[in-house]
Every structure is written in structure tokens, then in C-alpha cells.
Amino acid sequence: MRWVVSVIFLLFVLSGRMSAQVSQGGQPMKVAVLKSRGIPVAKMPPVDNHSLQQEKTLAGENGLKLKPLQFAHGFDVNISPETDGVWTYNINGFDVWQMRIVSSGAYSLNLIFEKFHLRSGAKLFLFNEKENRYLGAYTSYNNKSTGKFAVSPLAGDELVVQYEVPAGQNAKNDFVISQVNHDFTGILKYSDRRPRGITAGACNIDINCAEGEKWTDIKDAVCRIIVNGKELCTGTLLNNPREDQRPYVVSAAHCYDLLKYAETSIYTFNYESPYCAPLDGDPSNSVSGSEMRAFSDSLDFSLVELSLVPPPEYRPYFSGWDRRGLLRDSTTSIHHPQGDIKKISYDYESPVRSSFESEYTPNGFLKIRRWDGGVTEGGSSGGPLFNKEKNVIGTLTGGQATCSNPVNDYYARFDLAWEYKPDSSQQLRYWLDPDNQNPEGVEGKRFYENEELCLAYTNLEEYDNHQNVVLKTNNSFAGYWGGTNSAGITEFSEKFFLPGETNVLGVSLGVGIIKLTSGSSAREITVNVYNGRDLPETLIHSETVAVKDLVADAMNFVGFTEPVEPSDTFFVGFEISNLQPRDTFVVYQSLREPDKENFFFFNKDNSWYNFKTENTESKSMTNVFELVVCNVSPLVNDTPLVQNPKGMLIYPNPARSVFIVETGQAIAPQNVNVFNLIGQVVEAKLADVDDRKVEIDLSGNIPGVYFVRVKTEKGMVSKKVIYMPW
């Protein structure tokens, strides 16, 4: 039978989750607490979310036009295993402490710990039983010299803190909970639009849209910052002349009301949609804690050093910077407006030196007179301003720019922050130039190489549109192509092609719908990896996760317990277990026209099928999947190699000089031409790589946009390449 395809176009609500930062995984132990005593509760004083929202809005209207975003109200507390909570002893070799914390009406809660020193073998979890969300395990690996530790927000207005310690040890002084933060905004977006209805304005541009093509590396330097559990800003990971991977992050001084807040801030990398669409990202690539190195109120900059170097799977890029103070045409900013997924803004004109407010250094800022694309908002504070060489020249302080009037944003000048103040704690030079080389700037760099070079890959392209694609039999609703159905489809898979000895660390699934009836704990999905050329053939790895731990309308990362090394062509998919008749689980897909490449394959009655040949309109499809893969070629970035005989891929793109053209069939250099924007053939050096690849060198041509045209047996194919030699 050939099936009919239709699509449900949902409101693409930006819902998602906040995951643990560098946690060790696992789940909390089941503890049978006696009903007669229960888990003791620490209840926070009542707050009015609406009043707090109005208060912050009014403060923004009447005060300085700074652009952080306050989303939570903090309560100072003193809760510890010594004086509070309940201990249950000798459960499977562990003593377990529990404490319930409630702040009525909170959309999420996060905690700040002090005197934090977990002992070897102990595990700390935070979980919300009603929302089926948990964080952890945190272990001695998370101990810091500061004795402080911050955790990401957890959905809901209550949570349980559970500390599991090897039995017989006195662990009552291992930490103190010093602050409970009540989210009055709804920052998590985990089940519905933010209660205030505020996400990044419609004029904002997702970083993985066409405007971000030439920022593929640089974007990975930009992170979202949760400051002391209450405020959102943006920061940038910086390189230095030693190129020693010191994890310095530059941002705005006004983001840190107190210098000590650096110690309890969380820095999240790669929080973005996998392609050009408002699909919420997975914020699990987080680092908790930093130390303030340099800070200046009057120049409004801060420099912190993270508590650890972001690991390879975070794919960190250390941005370059330029302290010359040159004002050239065009600037770009990458940031997290409203704390949302990563966005890009750009201005084709040169900024001007300007003063901001009387409290700040005169002429200490670069003024963007008008954005040509995108804008900044609350949460963008500290975001970088890049020059056309893609080096940092400023950090956002504030301004008047909005979607309706994108004018007058102010960036603190990097060149003044360099050494305007002589004190080492108030300048960048002491930290970024420890050997007194006095460089005018440094280039950005991705340090991890070979087995540790990790990148993200998706089959999604800009024309795609994530949807819940309906499956019909005999014109009747039969469920979804990407999940629950009554047509007997049991497994859903995506085809990938990555040459070489790559290691797959995990996959992010774009989950569209999760609706579970009561007693949902047994529902699971199993992620499977298969080798195979035309269809999945040999199962090489499986990973099972509970459906209740996933979040709808967001990317959900499923990490593998060990790296998986597939063949060049392989398949990644999932199957669902133990769903009840009224349960629904669906992964987003993008339905494509027949001339586009198909990547979706499904299993029915223990046989695999190609979606393109099994639907009545011969449509193609791709799943909303994104792989994290290591030991990859630096020439291949964020996109799999082409398989469609009519297709063509250029990488890297943008290119500094040399790039590869690959098609889905044999090509020869004599059948390849490069044209400029007015249709003239330009000089380029061409060389064979293999029968489907040609290397092109544009050295000597002026920077800009070019078109590569290839003559094949299937006709002419062409593709745009951006040549940026700097």
C-alpha cells in the first residue's frame, strides 16, 4: 500500500528544557519515605508574578536602556543536610538526604549552593515529580575552589533535592543551599509559550539562516549567561596570543551586579535551532561557575575565566579580537535576545564613536545607528560586536533598538577596555596579553583537532519546514509518519553520509508532540544506529531513554554511552516502546518536494522502506535530527555530503581561498566554471580530488559572492559560494 501524506502546521511555540551542566547522568534512587513524616518542605514567601513582570518592565522604561533580562526573584535561604530535610539510611548501600523546596506560582526554580564539596562516590540530584524533570547527577567532579555551585532552572514551582552518599559517612556538611530563585517570566518554554508571551521579536534572524552562513565557526564562541540564577545576558569566548585555551568570556559589567556573581553563573553554548527556523534548541552544553578577572563599571565590560575549558562535544570556538579601534563599514552581532535561541544582527554601515549615558566613560562606545537586519533585546547585553574580519570590537551595553525602530544601540569599545584603566583588574591587556607581546589583535581558533574535533550535522536545509506530518490510509487519519501510528510502522530512521573514521557521540531529536496518559514511566524510545548503504542493515548501537525525560517542541539530545563509529553511509533512528493506546509521541519532520533528496526510511513488518517510493505523491522527507560527531574533517561543517545525483555541495562555505565542490555523480575540472555576480567567468585553480570532487582555489580574486556551475550528465547544477579571504 502507498500512503497519503498530509501536514499539521502547529504554532511553533518555543518550548524546551534546561539540562544539567556537565553532569554525570543517571537517575535518582527510589526512596520509600514514610507517609507519617514525608519529605520536609521549605516554602518560600508568596510573590506575584504579574507585579514582578510589571515592575521590571517599568524599570526598563524609566531607567537606562540596558539590555539584560531579569527573569527570576531570589530568596536568601540557609538549607543544609545538617539542619533540614530528612535522612533515610542504608538503601542499597547509600544514605539518602531529601528536601522539598516550594515557591508557589514559579514557572521554574533554580538553586545556588555554597560550601559545596561533594565527597567521592556521592551523587546530587534535583527533580520535579509532577513535571517529570530532573537534573544531575552532580558529583565531586563539580566541586570548585570557590565552594559555590549554580544549577540550571528546573520546570515547575517545586523540586526535591536528593543527596545520595555511600552508607556510614557523615555528609551533613557537604553543602548549603543559599539561594532559591523563583522564575516569574517562564524562561524554560518547556510546555507552552512563555507566560508573558515574550520571545525574541519577529525581526530577529536565527543564526543558522542564510545571514549566518559565513559565521559557522564564530557563532560557537557566543554563549548565553544565566547570572546568579536571576538574569540573562550574552558572552563570547576569547582567544589570546598564547593560544593556550584559557576559557575567558567577555561580556558587559552591568550583567554582574556583584563581582562574586561570576562564581554562580551558568554559561550555555550551542543554544540554537539546528536550521533556519524558530525551533527551540537544547541548552545542555553548559558550564557552571567562573572567576571574575577584569571589570569596569564606567567602561561596562567584564572578563571572566570559566571554571573549566568547554569539552570537545561542546564544539567551542575561541573568537578573535581587534583592539585597533578602526571603524570600517559593516558590523555584526550574535546574541540571545530575550534569552532565546541564538540570533544574528548586522549593519552595513560603519558604527560611530559615541557617549552612552553620563554614568559611563565619554565616547566609550560604538553606536550602531540603524540595524539593516535583526535587532537586540533584553538578554542581548554583553553580546559581541564583530568587525568584517569577524573579530570582536565591542560588547553590548544597551540602547533604543527594537523591531519597530532598530536604531541606536551602544557597544562598549574593546580598544578602550584593553588598557584605559591601569589597574589589572580593570583592563583586558593583563589577561589577554600576559607575555606583553602587545598585539593589535588575534585571530579566532578552534583548538580541538583530530579525534577531539567535534561538529554538528543535520540534513535540514533552509527551505525545510519542521512539521508533524500526518499519515493517512484510505483517506483516514492513521497517526504520524514521525511517530505514533496505526499503520504498523514501528521504527523511523534518517540516512547520513560522513566519510572517514568519524565517531558519533549522540543525536538531538526535534520532538514535536508528547502526550502521555497516567503512569507514563515505562514509555521509552530506543535510538538505533545502523550501517547500510541503501537501507538500514546492521545494528551497531542502541540507546534507550524514557519518553518522560524528553520535551515537546524542542531539540532533545540523546547522548551515547560510548562513541559509535559507523561506516561512511549509516542510519540513525528510533523506535517507541510501551506506549498506551491514547499516548502520542511524534518527532518533527520536513516534507519535501519530489525533486529534493529523501533521507527518511521506516520499518513496517520487520522490513525497511524508502519513504519516497511509498507515498502517493513521491514526496521526499527528512527528520529533524542533528548529530554530534567527532574525528571529522574540518572541511566538512554542519552539513552532510551530497548523495543526490542532481545535487551539489560546497565546503567550507564561506571559503578563505580553497574549497571543495562535490556532486552526486562524476565530474571533471574542465566541466566546472566559477562566475561573479555579473556573470563573468573568473580565474580559479581547479584540481581533481576524486571522481565526484573538485578542489577550487579563488586566491587573487576580490572577496564576495561567486557561483560555481558544473556540467554533469544530468544537466547543469550551480551553487553559491562566499569567498572571504581574511
Side-chain angles (χ1 to χ4, degrees):
M1 175 183 290
R2 301 232 302 169
W3 287 281
V4 177
V5 179
S6 65
V7 175
I8 290 180
F9 288 91
L10 296 181
L11 291 174
F12 296 134
V13 292
L14 299 176
S15 60
R17 64 174 174 168
M18 291 293 294
S19 296
Q21 54 283 346
V22 197
S23 70
Q24 305 304 302
Q27 295 200 20
M29 297 172 59
K30 301 290 185 182
V31 180
V33 178
L34 295 175
K35 290 185 178 180
S36 60
R37 59 173 181 170
I39 301 175
V41 178
K43 192 168 185 179
M44 301 300 107
V47 296
D48 185 325
N49 290 342
H50 181 68
S51 295
L52 288 173
Q53 293 162 9
Q54 287 188 319
E55 178 185 328
K56 298 309 171 188
T57 300
L58 186 63
E61 291 173 351
N62 296 335
L64 296 176
K65 296 296 183 180
L66 304 177
K67 293 201 170 182
L69 175 68
Q70 184 168 350
F71 71 94
H73 174 77
F75 297 102
D76 292 329
V77 297
N78 187 7
I79 300 170
S80 80
E82 182 179 22
T83 58
D84 305 278
V86 60
W87 283 93
T88 305
Y89 294 99
N90 202 14
I91 302 176
N92 297 323
F94 283 85
D95 296 338
V96 180
W97 177 80
Q98 294 177 304
M99 183 73 193
R100 189 182 304 275
I101 297 173
V102 177
S103 186
S104 297
Y107 298 114
S108 71
L109 295 174
N110 71 80
L111 307 180
I112 304 294
F113 292 81
E114 294 188 0
K115 299 179 181 178
F116 186 90
H117 189 81
L118 304 189
R119 62 194 57 226
S120 178
K123 297 179 181 180
L124 178 69
F125 292 93
L126 286 74
F127 58 89
N128 181 311
E129 296 166 303
K130 293 192 296 185
E131 303 294 345
N132 289 319
R133 300 286 175 258
Y134 69 93
L135 301 175
Y138 303 113
T139 68
S140 58
Y141 176 78
N142 299 102
N143 294 340
K144 297 175 173 57
S145 60
T146 61
K148 296 182 180 181
F149 186 63
V151 297
S152 295
L154 191 68
D157 64 357
E158 65 175 66
L159 59 80
V160 173
V161 183
Q162 180 164 307
Y163 188 38
E164 303 169 3
V165 186
Q169 299 187 24
N170 182 3
K172 295 183 177 181
N173 296 306
D174 286 6
F175 59 81
V176 172
I177 300 170
S178 61
Q179 189 170 304
V180 176
N181 294 307
H182 171 117
D183 175 4
F184 59 81
T185 299
I187 196 64
L188 284 190
K189 307 174 292 179
Y190 72 98
S191 63
D192 201 349
R193 285 192 181 273
R194 299 185 186 191
R196 290 177 64 197
I198 299 176
T199 53
C203 70
N204 282 283
I205 303 166
D206 289 305
I207 187 60
N208 286 318
C209 292
E211 292 85 344
E213 280 185 357
K214 62 183 180 180
W215 299 88
T216 302
D217 282 328
I218 292 83
K219 69 176 183 178
D220 291 344
V222 179
C223 60
R224 187 180 73 171
I225 310 174
I226 299 179
V227 181
N228 199 42
K230 293 184 290 188
E231 198 165 82
L232 288 163
C233 283
T234 302
T236 311
L237 192 62
L238 294 181
N239 195 11
N240 68 73
R242 284 184 177 176
E243 297 196 334
D244 56 5
Q245 284 186 273
R246 292 292 290 270
Y248 292 127
V249 170
V250 68
S251 187
H254 73 262
C255 290
Y256 300 91
D257 293 336
L258 297 174
L259 287 118
K260 67 178 183 180
Y261 286 174
E263 299 169 355
T264 52
S265 293
I266 296 173
Y267 303 81
T268 302
F269 295 86
N270 307 310
Y271 181 45
E272 59 194 56
S273 171
Y275 78 117
C276 183
L279 175 59
D280 196 37
D282 188 317
S284 58
N285 291 171
S286 299
V287 174
S288 178
S290 65
E291 291 189 51
M292 187 65 68
R293 298 304 189 197
F295 181 95
S296 173
D297 278 324
S298 60
L299 292 173
D300 195 43
F301 81 89
S302 62
L303 185 75
V304 302
E305 184 173 352
L306 301 184
S307 60
L308 56 82
V309 178
E313 59 268 27
Y314 285 22
R315 313 185 299 278
Y317 182 83
F318 290 70
S319 177
W321 43 266
D322 187 331
R323 68 172 188 85
R324 293 175 294 174
L326 302 177
L327 299 183
R328 297 176 175 173
D329 60 324
S330 79
T331 52
T332 299
S333 187
I334 301 173
H335 51 100
H336 288 280
Q338 298 297 331
D340 213 334
I341 53 176
K342 200 175 293 179
K343 309 289 184 179
I344 185 169
S345 309
Y346 56 89
D347 174 24
Y348 291 132
E349 304 297 325
S350 173
V352 296
R353 293 187 181 89
S354 174
S355 297
F356 177 49
E357 298 283 348
S358 59
E359 293 89 337
Y360 295 96
T361 301
N363 289 318
F365 298 85
L366 299 178
K367 179 181 178 181
I368 302 297
R369 288 173 286 193
R370 186 177 190 88
W371 293 108
D372 290 299
V375 74
T376 67
E377 301 184 37
S380 301
S381 273
L385 186 68
F386 296 101
N387 60 16
K388 66 178 183 179
E389 289 82 14
K390 304 185 183 67
N391 293 321
V392 175
I393 59 172
T395 52
L396 180 66
T397 292
Q400 300 168 309
T402 62
C403 280
S404 59
N405 191 30
V407 300
N408 300 338
D409 266 344
Y410 297 83
Y411 286 78
R413 288 168 52 187
F414 193 95
D415 61 309
L416 281 187
W418 183 250
E419 57 177 347
Y420 185 78
K421 299 288 183 70
D423 191 326
S424 63
S425 66
Q426 294 180 293
Q427 63 169 237
L428 295 176
R429 178 175 180 172
Y430 179 85
W431 305 99
L432 297 181
D433 183 27
D435 301 321
N436 290 315
Q437 299 178 36
N438 203 29
E440 294 182 332
V442 298
E443 293 298 309
K445 186 172 182 177
R446 197 184 291 277
F447 287 95
Y448 291 121
E449 298 177 329
N450 304 319
E451 293 86 355
E452 291 188 327
L453 175 58
C454 304
L455 299 173
Y457 296 90
T458 180
N459 288 321
L460 294 163
E461 298 185 16
E462 189 161 358
Y463 61 76
D464 283 309
N465 187 12
H466 61 281
Q467 309 152 13
N468 294 307
V469 184
V470 170
L471 187 159
K472 290 186 176 182
T473 58
N474 300 322
N475 288 323
S476 297
F477 175 78
Y480 300 90
W481 279 103
T484 313
N485 68 87
S486 59
I489 297 174
T490 57
E491 194 166 356
F492 317 83
S493 195
E494 181 86 351
K495 185 178 183 179
F496 290 93
F497 178 69
L498 291 170
E501 298 178 356
T502 56
N503 295 315
V504 183
L505 299 189
V507 58
S508 286
L509 308 177
V511 178
I513 302 174
I514 301 177
K515 293 182 179 179
L516 303 179
T517 53
S518 60
S520 61
S521 60
R523 280 70 152 181
E524 296 176 332
I525 67 164
T526 299
V527 175
N528 294 320
V529 183
Y530 295 88
N531 283 334
R533 182 169 180 82
D534 299 315
L535 294 170
E537 296 173 2
T538 305
L539 179 65
I540 61 173
H541 186 78
S542 294
E543 203 79 42
T544 299
V545 296
V547 173
K548 68 180 180 63
D549 295 334
L550 304 177
V551 179
D553 298 306
M555 300 301 294
N556 293 256
F557 183 69
V558 178
F560 296 163
T561 52
E562 59 184 8
V564 178
E565 186 177 326
S567 57
D568 288 357
T569 303
F570 62 99
F571 297 78
V572 178
F574 69 94
E575 54 187 330
I576 314 169
S577 305
N578 304 320
L579 285 193
Q580 301 303 304
R582 290 185 293 169
D583 291 341
T584 304
F585 179 83
V586 186
V587 165
Y588 279 133
Q589 298 171 306
S590 177
L591 189 62
R592 296 172 156 185
E593 293 305 313
D595 62 325
K596 298 296 184 181
E597 190 164 4
N598 178 69
F599 295 98
F600 174 50
F601 297 77
F602 62 91
N603 191 299
K604 176 180 167 62
D605 298 330
N606 295 317
S607 295
W608 284 100
Y609 296 90
N610 184 324
F611 171 78
K612 187 179 180 70
T613 62
E614 299 299 322
N615 69 87
T616 56
E617 301 173 58
S618 298
K619 297 267 190 175
S620 295
M621 190 108 79
T622 184
N623 295 292
V624 178
F625 287 5
E626 184 178 57
L627 302 182
V628 175
V629 184
C630 299
N631 197 31
V632 297
S633 167
L635 288 179
V636 185
N637 203 342
D638 285 335
T639 310
L641 301 186
V642 70
Q643 288 282 285
N644 188 341
K646 297 181 181 180
M648 182 169 75
L649 180 67
I650 291 175
Y651 54 91
N653 189 6
R656 290 198 172 185
S657 58
V658 177
F659 59 92
I660 299 292
V661 172
E662 178 177 349
T663 64
Q665 57 184 295
I667 57 173
Q670 58 266 31
N671 292 328
V672 180
N673 286 300
V674 183
F675 297 83
N676 59 23
L677 284 174
I678 60 175
Q680 298 171 322
V681 177
V682 301
E683 292 292 329
K685 299 175 184 177
L686 291 85
D688 275 314
V689 176
D690 61 33
D691 62 343
R692 297 197 309 167
K693 298 178 186 177
V694 170
E695 181 183 271
I696 299 178
D697 187 347
L698 282 180
S699 296
N701 289 285
I702 63 173
V705 176
Y706 292 84
F707 293 90
V708 179
R709 186 175 300 167
V710 179
K711 181 180 179 181
T712 73
E713 293 178 358
K714 301 289 184 179
M716 289 288 189
V717 291
S718 63
K719 200 169 185 72
K720 177 178 70 175
V721 61
I722 300 173
Y723 171 49
M724 304 290 285
W726 42 76

